[in-house]
């Protein structure tokens, strides 16, 4: 962008002439942007797969806790601590997707699952 005095204001997007042309194919245009068909395909939300992911995350959490309590050994507690850290990150990641309304195509289901099943167990509010 150029201001009224002729000075460059910078900006986040460079002039298109500086970029090397991209070879056009089924997914990309010559300017490097994706085709509309590919964008639509990438934006499809796989509801069934995401539901399975949420269910499996809860099963994984319950299994880690149950196994740890059943064995009750110091080294199992150490392994469980590491695994629960990973699980906590998975809850946070899925909650983040739900906060952007990308987890389920039904907004009401997306918000409820994101808030109650993913956010609250790790003490994160999707409202903020």
């Amino acid at each position: 962008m150029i201001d009224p005095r002729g000075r460059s204001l910078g900006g986040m997007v460079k002039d298109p002439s500086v970029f090397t042309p991209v070879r056009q194919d089924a997914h990309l245009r010559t300017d490097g942007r994706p085709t509309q068909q590919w964008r639509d395909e990438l934006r499809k939300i796989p509801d069934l797969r995401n539901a399975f992911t949420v269910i499996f995350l809860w099963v994984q959490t319950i299994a880690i806790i149950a196994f740890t309590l059943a064995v009750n050994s110091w080294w199992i507690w150490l392994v469980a601590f590491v695994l629960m850290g990973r699980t906590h990150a998975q809850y946070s990641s899925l909650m983040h997707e739900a906060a952007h309304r990308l987890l389920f195509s039904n907004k009401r289901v997306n918000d409820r699952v994101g808030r109650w099943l993913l956010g609250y167990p790790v003490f994160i509010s999707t409202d903020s």
Side-chain angles (χ1 to χ4, degrees):
M1 288 185 89
I2 307 294
D3 73 355
R5 296 184 206 162
R7 294 180 300 185
S8 174
L9 297 176
M12 294 182 66
V13 180
K14 293 185 178 184
D15 186 87
S17 63
V18 245
F19 296 115
T20 306
V22 177
R23 183 177 57 92
Q24 186 173 358
D25 63 9
H27 300 299
L28 295 175
R29 294 184 263 187
T30 55
D31 61 359
R33 294 180 301 153
T35 61
Q36 188 62 42
Q37 181 183 5
W38 194 37
R39 286 172 56 104
D40 293 342
E41 185 180 324
L42 290 173
R43 288 184 176 174
K44 288 182 185 172
I45 297 175
D47 290 328
L48 189 60
R49 186 176 70 188
N50 291 347
F52 175 75
T53 302
V54 172
I55 291 168
F56 182 74
L57 179 59
W58 271 94
V59 168
Q60 169 186 316
T61 304
I62 293 167
I64 291 170
I65 293 170
F67 184 76
T68 303
L69 292 174
V71 174
N72 198 18
S73 173
W74 70 268
W75 63 274
I76 291 294
W77 282 93
L78 185 64
V79 171
F81 181 79
V82 172
L83 290 176
M84 286 305 288
R86 175 183 173 273
T87 303
H88 182 85
Q90 288 175 315
Y91 276 106
S92 300
S93 177
L94 288 173
M95 185 278 311
H96 180 85
E97 294 303 310
H100 288 291
R101 295 215 165 128
L102 296 173
L103 194 59
F104 294 104
S105 55
N106 182 316
K107 291 182 181 183
R108 187 172 179 178
V109 170
N110 184 81
D111 291 347
R112 291 207 176 168
V113 168
R115 179 177 292 127
W116 292 101
L117 296 180
L118 300 171
Y120 289 160
V122 290
F123 306 108
I124 300 174
S125 169
T126 56
D127 297 329
S128 61

